[in-house]
Amino acid sequence: MSPVLEVSDLNVSFGDVHAVRGVSYSVRPGEVLGIVGESGSGKSVTSAAVMGLLPPGARVTGSVRLHGQELIGASERMLTSFRGKTMSMVFQDPLSALTPVYRVGDQIAEAVRVHQRVSKETALVKAIELLELVGIPHPVERALAFPHEFSGGMRQRVVIAMAIANDPDVIICDEPTTALDVTIQAQVLEVLKKAQEKTGAAIIMITHDLGVVAGFADRVLVMYAGRPVEVGDVDDIYYRMRMPYTVGLLASIPRVDRSGRQPLAPIEGNPPSPAALPPGCPFAPRCPMRVEACDEGEPPLFEVGTGHRAACIRWEDVHPHHPGKHAAPSRRELVVRGERTVLEVRDLVKDFPLLKGAVFKRRVGTVHAVAGVGFDIRHGETLGLVGESGSGKTTTLTQILELAAPQQGRIVVLGHDTARLTGAQRTEIRRDMQVVFQDPLASLDPRMTVHDILAEPLRTHGVAPGRRIGELLALVGLDASHAARYPQDFSGGQRQRICIARALALEPQLLVLDEPVSALDVSIQAGVINLLDSLKARLGLSYLFVAHDLAVVRYIADRVAVMYLGRIAEIGQVDAVYDAPAHPYTQALLSAIPLPDPVRERSRERILLEGDLPSPANPPTGCRFRTRCPKFRAELTDAERRLCVDVEPEVRPLGDDQGAACHYAARREVV
């Protein structure tokens, strides 16, 4: 079949900054092209140029042909006739893509009526059919709701419904699953597959998640510094890569299907600025295979196989490898738990009042954010706390960090019960328990130099900074000269290293890490993970590591606790839980994580959860997971279901160090 969309030598510049340089690709009906690369590589700018959505100051050259019709230089009227009909787009943030003051059904109906001559009633019926197609329950009622009344996953389904409303030939998806939990991500990808089957459209999937691309795409285009550096079939890119950058991206990914403690292999350095590209190959300053010839000129895309091209003069020396099948993962040593407990949480409960009214507020309910959580962390141990958004992870973290008497339950930090702390004891514990937050830029004062940022906790506790600043920077892999700079002068990974250095300034015993790598590119993330792992061994630290990325948690944690709707669903030694999870929720979480291995991804069986997390203001009776539990729906008898409805399960032991809060827990391999 002839291509439905052809992009040739596309260039985009903003003044003197060349954001996209010579991008070329084509997609045929029913084909999925994955475009991957680090932040700043030009992926999103390329898609915006194809759609004609760039700001007026952008200069675009090259060719974009849709069914043979040239779009570069076309009038706005012509582009409007194509957008939403022949070619549509699914944006990264669905809340920004939807108008907050219009009902969801009306917005989908509007997308229909713009391109089809139908009545309002017919368009609304079509909107309801589309909501049902993308898996939104009770579509008639939900069509009357506003965007803020939907969860993130449901909003993304609405945007997909709008994108397929007019049976387009091309759907461009710009990071459609980035902000979603892994279970919701699996649902959205399933919806996209269903939408493609219905419309027969070609899909361009722009993402930084190489696992998503492995199981979803037919061909892959890898971008770096605004241009393609490797393109080919998905199996070629993952198993027979010929570009060192592609090798580095894949080697940086922590794998949920691998145990062991081998360090990840991050790509050294940071991507170049589009305004100051190095001479020759843009990747040369970070490339482990660099030779003098790499600086002489930017390499073209060499033909390295059938339909496979790579921009590297040494492509024949790049050694491809199979990412999973032939690499025997080493088993980690079973961690012997230390005698001293640095953190103990028992039966922790935290409720928030649900208020109504603008002036005279009245209580209309209670949000049960945490409902009886319990775990402990021993000296030198890392506990990973995982679960979907709304499961209570952050509230649990906040209760620990407050060092105050909990609403119910008991928190013991470094041997001190937080309900009985004096002011002096609280100050002393804050010295020994430090926190690293998710967003390093938001947690660093932009008006302070790095020296002042690192000196602040030392001065607060009466310690002279002295040579300690240089020692801290060296500890996290930064140069002493960086002390005179400001946070905005650093990359995201470097800023996170500064946050870690600040947390280590007072030589704490316990580090609380709240999603410390979730905002970083995969190559930068690998360096920070390696740093945290080495610091733990060198300094004898204990970590409470909160994350939604279960692959990262498997790499860094010794034990893992899985939370669901304010309760612990499963807890235990990390390899025991990952190799054979016993709770149906843990099984669904692990099965939903995409693997950067096309062969395994195509053969895996997903456990898809229906719907979203129930409201913590009105949790189900008995087992909180039963409303979404596949086992409850398909495997249990009526009598067995009655137990799930009436009795809330407690965590019961299943092995040496594994327990699950399920009446019918059964260990099962899912990864």
Side-chain angles (χ1 to χ4, degrees):
M1 292 181 288
S2 60
V4 61
L5 177 69
E6 295 176 276
V7 178
S8 303
D9 195 27
L10 182 66
N11 294 271
V12 179
S13 57
F14 300 91
D16 295 330
V17 178
H18 298 279
V20 175
R21 305 177 300 120
V23 172
S24 299
Y25 62 81
S26 63
V27 284
R28 292 173 170 78
E31 185 179 42
V32 179
L33 172 69
I35 301 181
V36 301
E38 294 172 285
S39 299
S41 61
K43 306 185 301 293
S44 295
V45 176
T46 299
S47 65
V50 170
M51 291 289 293
L53 296 175
L54 290 173
R59 182 171 177 269
V60 183
T61 62
S63 173
V64 176
R65 302 180 71 85
L66 181 64
H67 288 303
Q69 182 74 46
E70 181 62 58
L71 300 185
I72 300 296
S75 66
E76 185 63 28
R77 182 175 181 179
M78 178 181 168
L79 290 174
T80 302
S81 68
F82 280 116
R83 291 192 204 115
K85 182 180 181 182
T86 312
M87 182 166 56
S88 61
M89 192 164 186
V90 178
F91 294 95
Q92 178 175 349
D93 183 3
L95 189 58
S96 299
L98 296 169
T99 306
V101 296
Y102 288 103
R103 299 181 191 275
V104 162
D106 291 336
Q107 295 190 54
I108 300 175
E110 181 186 27
V112 174
R113 296 192 70 209
V114 164
H115 296 286
Q116 300 180 34
R117 293 192 175 186
V118 295
S119 65
K120 285 185 178 180
E121 292 75 14
T122 304
L124 192 56
V125 169
K126 173 77 170 176
I128 293 170
E129 292 173 355
L130 288 165
L131 288 174
E132 185 175 17
L133 177 68
V134 297
I136 291 182
H138 313 295
V140 177
E141 293 85 357
R142 300 299 275 168
L144 301 176
F146 291 91
H148 70 271
E149 298 178 272
F150 287 75
S151 66
M154 288 294 184
R155 283 195 290 264
Q156 196 63 285
R157 289 168 184 248
V158 171
V159 173
I160 293 172
M162 293 176 68
I164 65 173
N166 297 291
D167 294 333
D169 297 325
V170 180
I171 303 174
I172 299 176
C173 302
D174 187 9
E175 301 273 10
T177 60
T178 297
L180 304 178
D181 287 310
V182 65
T183 51
I184 307 302
Q185 171 182 278
Q187 295 174 12
V188 169
L189 290 174
E190 198 67 25
V191 167
L192 279 171
K193 289 178 183 177
K194 186 188 294 184
Q196 186 189 34
E197 290 172 3
K198 180 182 182 297
T199 62
I203 292 180
I204 299 172
M205 172 67 74
I206 299 167
T207 182
H208 68 275
D209 192 328
L210 291 160
V212 168
V213 172
F216 193 73
D218 302 306
R219 290 190 303 120
V220 181
L221 185 147
V222 183
M223 290 189 68
Y224 185 79
R227 69 180 290 250
V229 293
E230 188 162 12
V231 60
D233 290 341
V234 65
D235 286 9
D236 283 334
I237 298 299
Y238 283 78
Y239 303 139
R240 295 175 286 277
M241 67 288 289
R242 294 296 184 182
M243 173 66 191
Y245 177 59
T246 311
V247 176
L249 284 179
L250 289 166
S252 301
I253 305 172
R255 296 280 297 265
V256 74
D257 57 335
R258 288 188 188 174
S259 60
R261 286 284 187 165
Q262 305 98 329
L264 298 171
I267 304 173
E268 298 298 330
N270 296 290
S273 167
L277 294 176
C281 175
F283 186 61
R286 307 173 71 192
C287 183
M289 299 178 61
R290 178 182 182 176
V291 294
E292 288 186 9
C294 295
D295 297 327
E296 295 175 1
E298 190 166 11
L301 283 167
F302 295 100
E303 197 76 28
V304 300
T306 305
H308 185 189
R309 293 176 293 161
C312 180
I313 60 174
R314 298 191 61 193
W315 64 267
E316 291 179 305
D317 299 326
V318 177
H319 298 292
H321 67 279
H322 193 294
K325 189 171 172 184
H326 304 304
S330 68
R331 302 292 299 178
R332 80 172 75 201
E333 302 251 345
L334 184 63
V335 175
V336 179
R337 305 194 69 201
E339 292 296 325
R340 185 162 62 91
T341 300
V342 295
L343 176 65
E344 182 181 5
V345 178
R346 287 287 172 263
D347 302 320
L348 182 64
V349 173
K350 179 60 179 176
D351 297 333
F352 295 97
L354 191 61
L355 304 176
K356 190 175 183 180
V359 179
F360 301 102
K361 295 187 180 296
R362 64 186 188 279
R363 186 167 184 160
V364 295
T366 301
V367 176
H368 306 282
V370 178
V373 166
F375 57 81
D376 61 13
I377 302 175
R378 306 285 176 87
H379 174 68
E381 184 178 58
T382 299
L383 175 72
L385 194 62
V386 301
E388 294 174 284
S389 299
S391 61
K393 306 188 301 296
T394 301
T395 303
T396 301
L397 208 69
T398 304
Q399 292 296 292
I400 295 168
L401 293 173
E402 280 183 355
L403 294 179
Q407 176 184 323
Q408 288 183 40
R410 188 166 179 254
I411 301 174
V412 180
V413 181
L414 300 170
H416 298 277
D417 191 331
T418 58
R420 299 184 177 90
L421 290 178
T422 64
Q425 288 175 324
R426 188 172 286 108
T427 301
E428 190 63 27
I429 290 177
R430 291 199 189 283
R431 175 176 182 150
D432 292 330
M433 181 178 68
Q434 293 287 311
V435 61
V436 177
F437 294 102
Q438 178 176 355
D439 185 353
L441 189 58
S443 59
L444 297 174
D445 192 330
R447 301 165 298 179
M448 297 172 67
T449 64
V450 169
H451 179 280
D452 292 336
I453 288 170
L454 299 183
E456 185 180 32
L458 294 168
R459 290 169 178 154
T460 300
H461 288 268
V463 180
R467 286 197 271 179
R468 181 65 175 155
I469 305 301
E471 293 172 357
L472 288 169
L473 289 171
L475 192 64
V476 297
L478 296 176
D479 194 86
S481 62
H482 291 158
R485 298 184 186 178
Y486 291 88
Q488 55 266 34
D489 298 330
F490 295 89
S491 67
Q494 289 173 321
R495 284 194 288 262
Q496 197 61 288
R497 287 171 182 263
I498 294 168
C499 290
I500 294 170
R502 181 177 62 181
L504 296 175
L506 295 164
E507 300 181 355
Q509 300 178 49
L510 172 64
L511 230 59
V512 178
L513 303 157
D514 185 14
E515 304 269 12
V517 296
S518 64
L520 305 178
D521 278 316
V522 64
S523 55
I524 310 300
Q525 171 183 281
V528 175
I529 293 171
N530 285 345
L531 172 67
L532 289 170
D533 206 38
S534 64
L535 289 174
K536 175 191 166 188
R538 288 161 59 190
L539 305 178
L541 298 169
S542 304
Y543 292 155
L544 174 57
F545 193 96
V546 178
H548 69 273
D549 190 332
L550 277 81
V552 169
V553 169
R554 175 156 203 178
Y555 179 83
I556 201 168
D558 303 306
R559 301 174 72 242
V560 61
V562 183
M563 286 191 68
Y564 184 82
L565 208 62
R567 302 273 293 179
I568 297 289
E570 188 161 0
I571 187 169
Q573 200 269 338
V574 68
D575 283 344
V577 173
Y578 277 66
D579 290 341
H583 196 286
Y585 178 58
T586 314
Q587 293 167 1
L589 278 180
L590 291 173
S591 79
I593 300 172
L595 302 176
D597 188 332
V599 171
R600 291 198 62 186
E601 270 299 286
R602 289 193 287 262
S603 61
R604 287 178 76 199
E605 180 183 349
R606 289 274 190 266
I607 302 174
L608 293 177
L609 298 181
E610 294 184 359
D612 292 315
L613 205 71
S615 169
N618 187 26
T621 60
C623 175
R624 296 176 174 230
F625 183 60
R626 65 178 174 81
T627 57
R628 302 172 73 197
C629 180
K631 178 175 283 191
F632 181 85
R633 288 196 313 269
E635 299 179 24
L636 302 183
T637 64
D638 290 341
E640 289 171 330
R641 290 194 189 102
R642 178 53 52 191
L643 180 63
C644 298
V645 172
D646 294 339
V647 181
E648 187 164 27
E650 299 292 333
V651 175
R652 60 185 180 89
L654 299 168
D656 292 336
D657 190 4
Q658 184 178 4
C662 177
H663 295 300
Y664 307 103
R667 303 182 73 197
R668 172 185 174 187
E669 292 185 20
V670 294
V671 176

